[in-house]
PDB file of all heavy atoms in Angstrom:
ATOM      1  N   LEU A  36      26.637  47.260 -14.280  1.00  0.00           N
ATOM      2  CA  LEU A  36      27.760  48.175 -14.475  1.00  0.00           C
ATOM      3  C   LEU A  36      28.975  47.468 -15.067  1.00  0.00           C
ATOM      4  O   LEU A  36      29.678  48.033 -15.914  1.00  0.00           O
ATOM      5  CB  LEU A  36      28.143  48.845 -13.154  1.00  0.00           C
ATOM      6  CG  LEU A  36      27.226  49.951 -12.666  1.00  0.00           C
ATOM      7  CD1 LEU A  36      27.645  50.415 -11.277  1.00  0.00           C
ATOM      8  CD2 LEU A  36      27.220  51.120 -13.626  1.00  0.00           C
ATOM      9  N   PRO A  60      39.885  59.702 -29.799  1.00  0.00           N
ATOM     10  CA  PRO A  60      38.501  59.371 -29.441  1.00  0.00           C
ATOM     11  C   PRO A  60      38.382  58.180 -28.488  1.00  0.00           C
ATOM     12  O   PRO A  60      37.353  58.004 -27.852  1.00  0.00           O
ATOM     13  CB  PRO A  60      37.837  59.058 -30.784  1.00  0.00           C
ATOM     14  CG  PRO A  60      38.947  58.780 -31.721  1.00  0.00           C
ATOM     15  CD  PRO A  60      40.143  59.515 -31.224  1.00  0.00           C
ATOM     16  N   GLY A 104      10.714  38.519   7.094  1.00  0.00           N
ATOM     17  CA  GLY A 104       9.791  39.564   7.519  1.00  0.00           C
ATOM     18  C   GLY A 104       9.510  40.585   6.438  1.00  0.00           C
ATOM     19  O   GLY A 104       9.135  40.269   5.329  1.00  0.00           O
ATOM     20  N   GLY A 118      14.874  46.942 -12.026  1.00  0.00           N
ATOM     21  CA  GLY A 118      14.485  46.397 -13.328  1.00  0.00           C
ATOM     22  C   GLY A 118      13.705  47.416 -14.147  1.00  0.00           C
ATOM     23  O   GLY A 118      13.915  47.543 -15.352  1.00  0.00           O
ATOM     24  N   ALA A 125      16.785  51.509 -21.270  1.00  0.00           N
ATOM     25  CA  ALA A 125      16.910  50.807 -22.554  1.00  0.00           C
ATOM     26  C   ALA A 125      15.940  51.371 -23.592  1.00  0.00           C
ATOM     27  O   ALA A 125      16.329  51.597 -24.752  1.00  0.00           O
ATOM     28  CB  ALA A 125      16.673  49.310 -22.352  1.00  0.00           C
ATOM     29  N   VAL A 136      18.197  62.956 -29.125  1.00  0.00           N
ATOM     30  CA  VAL A 136      18.672  62.676 -27.779  1.00  0.00           C
ATOM     31  C   VAL A 136      17.862  63.389 -26.702  1.00  0.00           C
ATOM     32  O   VAL A 136      17.543  62.814 -25.666  1.00  0.00           O
ATOM     33  CB  VAL A 136      20.166  63.068 -27.661  1.00  0.00           C
ATOM     34  CG1 VAL A 136      20.664  62.928 -26.242  1.00  0.00           C
ATOM     35  CG2 VAL A 136      21.001  62.219 -28.605  1.00  0.00           C
ATOM     36  N   ALA A 169      21.524  72.560 -19.852  1.00  0.00           N
ATOM     37  CA  ALA A 169      22.981  72.477 -19.695  1.00  0.00           C
ATOM     38  C   ALA A 169      23.587  71.543 -20.735  1.00  0.00           C
ATOM     39  O   ALA A 169      24.623  71.856 -21.339  1.00  0.00           O
ATOM     40  CB  ALA A 169      23.335  72.007 -18.287  1.00  0.00           C
ATOM     41  N   TRP A 177      28.384  74.904 -27.424  1.00  0.00           N
ATOM     42  CA  TRP A 177      29.812  75.069 -27.164  1.00  0.00           C
ATOM     43  C   TRP A 177      30.660  74.111 -27.991  1.00  0.00           C
ATOM     44  O   TRP A 177      31.570  74.513 -28.707  1.00  0.00           O
ATOM     45  CB  TRP A 177      30.073  74.872 -25.669  1.00  0.00           C
ATOM     46  CG  TRP A 177      31.491  75.069 -25.249  1.00  0.00           C
ATOM     47  CD1 TRP A 177      32.388  75.975 -25.746  1.00  0.00           C
ATOM     48  CD2 TRP A 177      32.184  74.346 -24.237  1.00  0.00           C
ATOM     49  NE1 TRP A 177      33.585  75.863 -25.099  1.00  0.00           N
ATOM     50  CE2 TRP A 177      33.488  74.863 -24.159  1.00  0.00           C
ATOM     51  CE3 TRP A 177      31.824  73.328 -23.375  1.00  0.00           C
ATOM     52  CZ2 TRP A 177      34.426  74.388 -23.271  1.00  0.00           C
ATOM     53  CZ3 TRP A 177      32.751  72.859 -22.488  1.00  0.00           C
ATOM     54  CH2 TRP A 177      34.042  73.396 -22.448  1.00  0.00           C
ATOM     55  N   ARG A 179      29.552  72.081 -30.432  1.00  0.00           N
ATOM     56  CA  ARG A 179      28.966  71.928 -31.770  1.00  0.00           C
ATOM     57  C   ARG A 179      28.818  70.462 -32.181  1.00  0.00           C
ATOM     58  O   ARG A 179      29.141  70.078 -33.301  1.00  0.00           O
ATOM     59  CB  ARG A 179      29.791  72.708 -32.785  1.00  0.00           C
ATOM     60  CG  ARG A 179      29.713  74.191 -32.554  1.00  0.00           C
ATOM     61  CD  ARG A 179      30.263  74.971 -33.706  1.00  0.00           C
ATOM     62  NE  ARG A 179      30.076  76.385 -33.436  1.00  0.00           N
ATOM     63  CZ  ARG A 179      31.051  77.224 -33.200  1.00  0.00           C
ATOM     64  NH1 ARG A 179      32.298  76.810 -33.229  1.00  0.00           N
ATOM     65  NH2 ARG A 179      30.810  78.490 -32.958  1.00  0.00           N
TER      66      ARG A 179
END
Side-chain angles (χ1 to χ4, degrees):
L36 284 174
V136 174
W177 182 36
R179 294 193 177 112

